[in-house]
Amino acid sequence: MSNMSNLFINVNDDGDEVVHRHQNAELLFYQQVAKGDIDAIRENCLKHEFLNQAGVGILSKDPLQNLKYHFVVSVAIISRLCVDNGMEMEKSYRLSDYYIQCLDDITSIEKMEQLHDRMVTDYTGKMKIIRQNAGLSRPMTECMNYIFSHLKDRITVKDLAEYTSNSASYISRLFKEELGVSTSDYIRNAKLEASKNLLRYSDYSLVEIANYFSFTSQSHFCQLFQKETGLTPKKYREKYYGTHWKGTDGDIMDYIPHEE
């Protein structure tokens, strides 16, 4: 989004040249959110693109206030696009209102960027789940919602069966038929995927992450993680860690796709 080929020059009322970012670049970013492209959005955040002011236009002479104005514009566009791509209107606008209200507590550019990155990651994670759920049966959608809402708990097929008012054997069969994996494999992979976020976006130790997602032990977590990614959790963090986000228990879950 910072490439000069994505910029164009306009002239304001005072005759001064104003460089604006090409609409296609901005639209691509918004579409990546609406499509649930979490990897692309994470990459955008890691590059600190929100703070790249080349071509975004000046809405206020105060740098922080300028970012706040652009944030409101971004939320408005993203919330609308997400509705157009399947998110419930009430849910999308409630989320939009929440993040706009958070602006009242923002007093620094660093915190402004953190809020922006948290917002786009939250919307993107939710859209990823919505797209994954498209075409799935209602019991399966309920199972996925339950899993992503209880990632830090120890989840069993029995839990899913009770939550959806079905038998455990029926739920197991649905996972095989609709997702092509066993229930335990899906739950494990969801936890491992979420653990990547903590490795990249937090300073939690490996044992804390293992405990957070209710793996039986740190060694078991490390074994499963390496089998899934080809890297140990330590090597993964060394390779991908690169954000200023530190987070708390409450904040961390906002970077993990989940349903309310």
Side-chain angles (χ1 to χ4, degrees):
M1 291 174 67
S2 60
N3 192 303
M4 286 301 293
S5 64
N6 288 327
L7 305 178
F8 68 93
I9 297 176
N10 200 351
V11 179
N12 64 18
D13 293 337
D14 297 324
D16 300 323
E17 287 187 347
V18 179
V19 179
H20 287 279
R21 189 170 296 167
H22 198 284
Q23 287 183 335
N24 288 343
E26 288 187 285
L27 182 58
L28 174 61
F29 173 72
Y30 295 138
Q31 288 177 337
Q32 287 170 337
V33 174
K35 291 179 180 179
D37 190 346
I38 196 72
D39 290 333
I41 297 306
R42 284 172 178 162
E43 186 68 21
N44 183 281
C45 294
L46 288 172
K47 290 181 178 179
H48 306 287
E49 289 289 0
F50 180 65
L51 297 184
N52 174 19
Q53 292 296 284
V56 298
I58 304 300
L59 302 178
S60 172
K61 293 181 180 179
D62 177 76
L64 177 58
Q65 190 62 41
N66 189 55
L67 287 174
K68 287 188 176 183
Y69 287 146
H70 282 290
F71 178 86
V72 173
V73 173
S74 294
V75 173
I77 295 174
I78 287 172
S79 63
R80 180 69 256 181
L81 276 177
C82 286
V83 169
D84 291 343
N85 282 269
M87 183 177 286
E88 294 178 9
M89 182 179 295
E90 179 62 27
K91 181 173 185 176
S92 182
Y93 291 164
R94 187 171 67 248
L95 203 60
S96 171
D97 291 344
Y98 165 75
Y99 281 110
I100 290 176
Q101 290 167 9
C102 287
L103 288 175
D104 292 341
D105 300 322
I106 300 301
T107 58
S108 70
I109 288 178
E110 180 185 16
K111 293 294 184 182
M112 187 67 251
E113 183 187 23
Q114 290 177 14
L115 180 64
H116 170 269
D117 293 354
R118 177 183 170 189
M119 180 271 292
V120 296
T121 307
D122 194 5
Y123 265 106
T124 307
K126 286 178 168 56
M127 289 307 300
K128 181 178 180 180
I129 291 178
I130 289 171
R131 294 177 72 87
Q132 287 175 336
N133 288 354
L136 296 179
S137 64
R138 183 176 181 83
M140 183 56 64
T141 299
E142 292 175 347
C143 284
M144 294 179 72
N145 289 341
Y146 182 91
I147 290 170
F148 283 108
S149 297
H150 296 80
L151 280 177
K152 61 182 181 179
D153 300 326
R154 189 160 292 176
I155 307 169
T156 66
V157 179
K158 183 180 179 181
D159 294 328
L160 298 177
E162 291 179 351
Y163 180 73
T164 60
S165 300
N166 288 287
S167 67
S169 59
Y170 177 72
I171 294 299
S172 296
R173 187 168 74 252
L174 278 185
F175 268 86
K176 281 290 188 179
E177 292 177 351
E178 298 189 23
L179 298 178
V181 296
S182 68
T183 309
S184 58
D185 284 347
Y186 185 88
I187 294 170
R188 184 189 67 243
N189 290 338
K191 288 175 177 285
L192 290 174
E193 185 65 27
S195 71
K196 293 178 184 178
N197 293 326
L198 271 69
L199 290 168
R200 296 176 69 166
Y201 300 137
S202 81
D203 291 325
Y204 284 101
S205 68
L206 298 188
V207 66
E208 287 174 326
I209 294 175
N211 290 336
Y212 191 85
F213 291 114
S214 299
F215 288 100
T216 55
S217 66
Q218 178 185 337
S219 61
H220 186 233
F221 163 62
C222 292
Q223 180 184 11
L224 292 174
F225 191 94
Q226 184 169 10
K227 183 178 180 180
E228 174 68 21
T229 67
L231 296 171
T232 64
K234 182 180 179 181
K235 290 293 184 182
Y236 184 91
R237 170 169 275 167
E238 290 174 352
K239 183 175 182 178
Y240 293 109
Y241 186 87
T243 175
H244 56 270
W245 293 337
K246 301 303 178 185
T248 64
D249 281 348
D251 295 330
I252 284 299
M253 292 307 292
D254 288 318
Y255 298 104
I256 299 171
H258 64 284
E259 288 289 276
E260 295 176 349

Short mmCIF file of all heavy atoms in Angstrom, two decimals, residues 129-165:
data_model
loop_
_atom_site.label_atom_id
_atom_site.label_comp_id
_atom_site.label_asym_id
_atom_site.label_seq_id
_atom_site.Cartn_x
_atom_site.Cartn_y
_atom_site.Cartn_z
N ILE A 129 -14.36 -17.07 9.88
CA ILE A 129 -15.26 -18.09 10.41
C ILE A 129 -16.55 -18.14 9.60
O ILE A 129 -17.07 -19.22 9.29
CB ILE A 129 -15.57 -17.82 11.89
CG1 ILE A 129 -14.32 -18.04 12.74
CG2 ILE A 129 -16.70 -18.72 12.37
CD1 ILE A 129 -14.52 -17.74 14.20
N ILE A 130 -17.09 -16.97 9.26
CA ILE A 130 -18.33 -16.91 8.49
C ILE A 130 -18.16 -17.61 7.14
O ILE A 130 -19.02 -18.38 6.71
CB ILE A 130 -18.77 -15.45 8.28
CG1 ILE A 130 -19.26 -14.86 9.60
CG2 ILE A 130 -19.86 -15.34 7.20
CD1 ILE A 130 -19.53 -13.38 9.56
N ARG A 131 -17.03 -17.38 6.49
CA ARG A 131 -16.79 -18.01 5.19
C ARG A 131 -16.56 -19.51 5.34
O ARG A 131 -16.95 -20.31 4.49
CB ARG A 131 -15.61 -17.33 4.49
CG ARG A 131 -15.89 -15.88 4.11
CD ARG A 131 -14.68 -15.22 3.49
NE ARG A 131 -14.44 -15.73 2.15
CZ ARG A 131 -15.00 -15.26 1.04
NH1 ARG A 131 -15.87 -14.26 1.12
NH2 ARG A 131 -14.71 -15.77 -0.14
N GLN A 132 -15.91 -19.89 6.43
CA GLN A 132 -15.69 -21.32 6.68
C GLN A 132 -17.02 -22.03 6.94
O GLN A 132 -17.20 -23.19 6.58
CB GLN A 132 -14.76 -21.51 7.88
CG GLN A 132 -13.30 -21.17 7.61
CD GLN A 132 -12.45 -21.26 8.85
OE1 GLN A 132 -12.93 -21.15 9.97
NE2 GLN A 132 -11.16 -21.48 8.67
N ASN A 133 -17.94 -21.30 7.57
CA ASN A 133 -19.22 -21.90 7.93
C ASN A 133 -20.21 -21.97 6.78
O ASN A 133 -21.23 -22.65 6.89
CB ASN A 133 -19.86 -21.11 9.08
CG ASN A 133 -19.14 -21.33 10.40
OD1 ASN A 133 -18.24 -22.14 10.49
ND2 ASN A 133 -19.54 -20.59 11.41
N ALA A 134 -19.91 -21.26 5.71
CA ALA A 134 -20.84 -21.21 4.58
C ALA A 134 -21.08 -22.61 4.03
O ALA A 134 -20.15 -23.35 3.71
CB ALA A 134 -20.29 -20.31 3.47
N GLY A 135 -22.34 -23.00 3.95
CA GLY A 135 -22.68 -24.30 3.39
C GLY A 135 -22.64 -25.43 4.39
O GLY A 135 -23.00 -26.57 4.05
N LEU A 136 -22.23 -25.15 5.62
CA LEU A 136 -22.21 -26.20 6.63
C LEU A 136 -23.58 -26.36 7.28
O LEU A 136 -24.39 -25.44 7.28
CB LEU A 136 -21.18 -25.86 7.72
CG LEU A 136 -19.71 -25.79 7.29
CD1 LEU A 136 -18.86 -25.42 8.50
CD2 LEU A 136 -19.24 -27.10 6.68
N SER A 137 -23.83 -27.54 7.81
CA SER A 137 -25.09 -27.78 8.50
C SER A 137 -25.14 -26.95 9.78
O SER A 137 -24.09 -26.52 10.30
CB SER A 137 -25.23 -29.26 8.85
OG SER A 137 -24.22 -29.65 9.76
N ARG A 138 -26.33 -26.74 10.30
CA ARG A 138 -26.48 -25.95 11.52
C ARG A 138 -25.73 -26.56 12.71
O ARG A 138 -25.03 -25.84 13.43
CB ARG A 138 -27.96 -25.78 11.86
CG ARG A 138 -28.21 -24.90 13.08
CD ARG A 138 -29.68 -24.66 13.33
NE ARG A 138 -29.87 -23.80 14.49
CZ ARG A 138 -29.81 -22.48 14.45
NH1 ARG A 138 -29.56 -21.87 13.31
NH2 ARG A 138 -30.00 -21.75 15.55
N PRO A 139 -25.82 -27.89 12.94
CA PRO A 139 -25.06 -28.46 14.06
C PRO A 139 -23.56 -28.23 13.92
O PRO A 139 -22.87 -27.98 14.92
CB PRO A 139 -25.40 -29.95 14.00
CG PRO A 139 -26.73 -30.00 13.34
CD PRO A 139 -26.69 -28.91 12.32
N MET A 140 -23.05 -28.31 12.68
CA MET A 140 -21.62 -28.12 12.48
C MET A 140 -21.23 -26.66 12.74
O MET A 140 -20.18 -26.39 13.34
CB MET A 140 -21.23 -28.52 11.05
CG MET A 140 -19.74 -28.43 10.77
SD MET A 140 -18.74 -29.39 11.93
CE MET A 140 -19.31 -31.04 11.56
N THR A 141 -22.06 -25.73 12.28
CA THR A 141 -21.79 -24.32 12.55
C THR A 141 -21.78 -24.04 14.05
O THR A 141 -20.93 -23.31 14.56
CB THR A 141 -22.87 -23.44 11.87
OG1 THR A 141 -22.82 -23.65 10.46
CG2 THR A 141 -22.62 -21.96 12.16
N GLU A 142 -22.72 -24.65 14.75
CA GLU A 142 -22.77 -24.48 16.21
C GLU A 142 -21.53 -25.06 16.87
O GLU A 142 -21.00 -24.49 17.83
CB GLU A 142 -24.03 -25.15 16.76
CG GLU A 142 -25.33 -24.45 16.35
CD GLU A 142 -26.56 -25.20 16.82
OE1 GLU A 142 -26.43 -26.37 17.25
OE2 GLU A 142 -27.67 -24.63 16.77
N CYS A 143 -21.06 -26.19 16.36
CA CYS A 143 -19.85 -26.81 16.90
C CYS A 143 -18.64 -25.90 16.73
O CYS A 143 -17.84 -25.71 17.65
CB CYS A 143 -19.57 -28.14 16.21
SG CYS A 143 -20.62 -29.51 16.74
N MET A 144 -18.51 -25.32 15.54
CA MET A 144 -17.38 -24.44 15.27
C MET A 144 -17.43 -23.19 16.13
O MET A 144 -16.41 -22.73 16.66
CB MET A 144 -17.34 -24.08 13.78
CG MET A 144 -17.05 -25.28 12.88
SD MET A 144 -17.03 -24.86 11.14
CE MET A 144 -15.50 -23.93 11.04
N ASN A 145 -18.62 -22.64 16.29
CA ASN A 145 -18.77 -21.48 17.16
C ASN A 145 -18.38 -21.81 18.60
O ASN A 145 -17.71 -21.02 19.28
CB ASN A 145 -20.22 -20.97 17.13
CG ASN A 145 -20.57 -20.31 15.81
OD1 ASN A 145 -19.70 -19.93 15.05
ND2 ASN A 145 -21.86 -20.20 15.54
N TYR A 146 -18.78 -22.99 19.05
CA TYR A 146 -18.45 -23.42 20.41
C TYR A 146 -16.93 -23.59 20.56
O TYR A 146 -16.34 -23.13 21.55
CB TYR A 146 -19.15 -24.74 20.73
CG TYR A 146 -18.89 -25.24 22.14
CD1 TYR A 146 -19.73 -24.89 23.19
CD2 TYR A 146 -17.78 -26.04 22.41
CE1 TYR A 146 -19.49 -25.32 24.48
CE2 TYR A 146 -17.52 -26.49 23.71
CZ TYR A 146 -18.38 -26.12 24.74
OH TYR A 146 -18.11 -26.55 26.02
N ILE A 147 -16.32 -24.23 19.58
CA ILE A 147 -14.88 -24.47 19.65
C ILE A 147 -14.10 -23.17 19.73
O ILE A 147 -13.22 -23.00 20.59
CB ILE A 147 -14.42 -25.30 18.44
CG1 ILE A 147 -14.96 -26.74 18.55
CG2 ILE A 147 -12.89 -25.32 18.33
CD1 ILE A 147 -14.77 -27.56 17.29
N PHE A 148 -14.42 -22.22 18.86
CA PHE A 148 -13.67 -20.96 18.85
C PHE A 148 -14.00 -20.08 20.04
O PHE A 148 -13.25 -19.15 20.33
CB PHE A 148 -13.92 -20.22 17.54
CG PHE A 148 -13.16 -20.80 16.38
CD1 PHE A 148 -13.82 -21.51 15.39
CD2 PHE A 148 -11.78 -20.66 16.29
CE1 PHE A 148 -13.12 -22.06 14.33
CE2 PHE A 148 -11.07 -21.21 15.24
CZ PHE A 148 -11.74 -21.91 14.25
N SER A 149 -15.08 -20.36 20.72
CA SER A 149 -15.41 -19.60 21.93
C SER A 149 -14.83 -20.24 23.18
O SER A 149 -14.86 -19.65 24.26
CB SER A 149 -16.94 -19.49 22.08
OG SER A 149 -17.50 -18.76 21.02
N HIS A 150 -14.32 -21.48 23.05
CA HIS A 150 -13.80 -22.21 24.21
C HIS A 150 -12.41 -22.79 23.93
O HIS A 150 -12.06 -23.84 24.46
CB HIS A 150 -14.76 -23.34 24.60
CG HIS A 150 -16.10 -22.87 25.05
ND1 HIS A 150 -17.09 -22.49 24.16
CD2 HIS A 150 -16.63 -22.71 26.29
CE1 HIS A 150 -18.16 -22.13 24.83
NE2 HIS A 150 -17.92 -22.23 26.12
N LEU A 151 -11.62 -22.08 23.13
CA LEU A 151 -10.32 -22.62 22.75
C LEU A 151 -9.41 -22.87 23.96
O LEU A 151 -8.57 -23.77 23.91
CB LEU A 151 -9.62 -21.66 21.78
CG LEU A 151 -10.05 -21.74 20.32
CD1 LEU A 151 -9.33 -20.69 19.50
CD2 LEU A 151 -9.80 -23.13 19.75
N LYS A 152 -9.57 -22.09 24.99
CA LYS A 152 -8.68 -22.28 26.15
C LYS A 152 -9.17 -23.38 27.08
O LYS A 152 -8.51 -23.68 28.08
CB LYS A 152 -8.50 -20.97 26.91
CG LYS A 152 -9.76 -20.39 27.49
CD LYS A 152 -9.44 -19.07 28.19
CE LYS A 152 -10.68 -18.45 28.81
NZ LYS A 152 -10.37 -17.19 29.50
N ASP A 153 -10.31 -23.99 26.75
CA ASP A 153 -10.83 -25.09 27.56
C ASP A 153 -10.47 -26.43 26.92
O ASP A 153 -10.13 -26.50 25.74
CB ASP A 153 -12.34 -24.98 27.69
CG ASP A 153 -12.78 -23.69 28.35
OD1 ASP A 153 -12.05 -23.21 29.24
OD2 ASP A 153 -13.83 -23.15 27.95
N ARG A 154 -10.59 -27.49 27.68
CA ARG A 154 -10.43 -28.83 27.14
C ARG A 154 -11.77 -29.26 26.55
O ARG A 154 -12.76 -29.45 27.27
CB ARG A 154 -9.97 -29.80 28.23
CG ARG A 154 -9.57 -31.17 27.72
CD ARG A 154 -8.70 -31.88 28.73
NE ARG A 154 -7.41 -31.22 28.86
CZ ARG A 154 -6.47 -31.58 29.72
NH1 ARG A 154 -6.68 -32.58 30.55
NH2 ARG A 154 -5.32 -30.94 29.78
N ILE A 155 -11.83 -29.39 25.24
CA ILE A 155 -13.09 -29.65 24.53
C ILE A 155 -13.15 -31.10 24.09
O ILE A 155 -12.19 -31.63 23.53
CB ILE A 155 -13.21 -28.74 23.29
CG1 ILE A 155 -13.01 -27.27 23.68
CG2 ILE A 155 -14.57 -28.92 22.62
CD1 ILE A 155 -12.86 -26.35 22.49
N THR A 156 -14.28 -31.74 24.32
CA THR A 156 -14.48 -33.12 23.90
C THR A 156 -15.68 -33.21 22.96
O THR A 156 -16.49 -32.29 22.86
CB THR A 156 -14.74 -34.03 25.12
OG1 THR A 156 -15.99 -33.65 25.72
CG2 THR A 156 -13.61 -33.89 26.15
N VAL A 157 -15.78 -34.34 22.29
CA VAL A 157 -16.94 -34.58 21.42
C VAL A 157 -18.23 -34.54 22.26
O VAL A 157 -19.27 -34.07 21.80
CB VAL A 157 -16.83 -35.94 20.70
CG1 VAL A 157 -18.04 -36.18 19.83
CG2 VAL A 157 -15.55 -36.00 19.88
N LYS A 158 -18.14 -35.04 23.49
CA LYS A 158 -19.30 -35.02 24.38
C LYS A 158 -19.77 -33.59 24.64
O LYS A 158 -20.98 -33.32 24.67
CB LYS A 158 -18.95 -35.71 25.70
CG LYS A 158 -20.11 -35.79 26.67
CD LYS A 158 -19.70 -36.49 27.96
CE LYS A 158 -20.88 -36.54 28.95
NZ LYS A 158 -20.48 -37.19 30.23
N ASP A 159 -18.82 -32.66 24.81
CA ASP A 159 -19.17 -31.26 25.03
C ASP A 159 -19.95 -30.71 23.83
O ASP A 159 -20.96 -30.03 23.98
CB ASP A 159 -17.91 -30.41 25.23
CG ASP A 159 -17.17 -30.76 26.51
OD1 ASP A 159 -17.84 -31.15 27.49
OD2 ASP A 159 -15.93 -30.66 26.52
N LEU A 160 -19.46 -31.04 22.63
CA LEU A 160 -20.11 -30.56 21.41
C LEU A 160 -21.49 -31.19 21.24
O LEU A 160 -22.44 -30.53 20.81
CB LEU A 160 -19.23 -30.87 20.20
CG LEU A 160 -17.85 -30.21 20.18
CD1 LEU A 160 -17.06 -30.67 18.96
CD2 LEU A 160 -17.97 -28.70 20.18
N ALA A 161 -21.58 -32.46 21.58
CA ALA A 161 -22.85 -33.17 21.46
C ALA A 161 -23.90 -32.56 22.39
O ALA A 161 -25.05 -32.32 22.00
CB ALA A 161 -22.66 -34.64 21.76
N GLU A 162 -23.49 -32.29 23.63
CA GLU A 162 -24.42 -31.70 24.60
C GLU A 162 -24.82 -30.28 24.18
O GLU A 162 -25.98 -29.89 24.30
CB GLU A 162 -23.78 -31.68 25.98
CG GLU A 162 -23.60 -33.07 26.59
CD GLU A 162 -22.93 -33.02 27.95
OE1 GLU A 162 -22.46 -31.92 28.34
OE2 GLU A 162 -22.87 -34.07 28.62
N TYR A 163 -23.87 -29.52 23.64
CA TYR A 163 -24.14 -28.15 23.24
C TYR A 163 -25.13 -28.09 22.08
O TYR A 163 -25.97 -27.19 22.02
CB TYR A 163 -22.83 -27.46 22.85
CG TYR A 163 -22.99 -26.02 22.42
CD1 TYR A 163 -23.27 -25.02 23.36
CD2 TYR A 163 -22.87 -25.65 21.08
CE1 TYR A 163 -23.41 -23.69 22.98
CE2 TYR A 163 -23.02 -24.33 20.69
CZ TYR A 163 -23.29 -23.35 21.63
OH TYR A 163 -23.45 -22.05 21.24
N THR A 164 -25.04 -29.05 21.17
CA THR A 164 -25.91 -29.05 19.98
C THR A 164 -27.12 -29.97 20.13
O THR A 164 -27.90 -30.11 19.19
CB THR A 164 -25.10 -29.48 18.74
OG1 THR A 164 -24.59 -30.81 18.95
CG2 THR A 164 -23.95 -28.51 18.48
N SER A 165 -27.23 -30.61 21.29
CA SER A 165 -28.34 -31.55 21.55
C SER A 165 -28.36 -32.70 20.54
O SER A 165 -29.39 -33.06 19.97
CB SER A 165 -29.69 -30.80 21.51
OG SER A 165 -29.73 -29.79 22.49
#
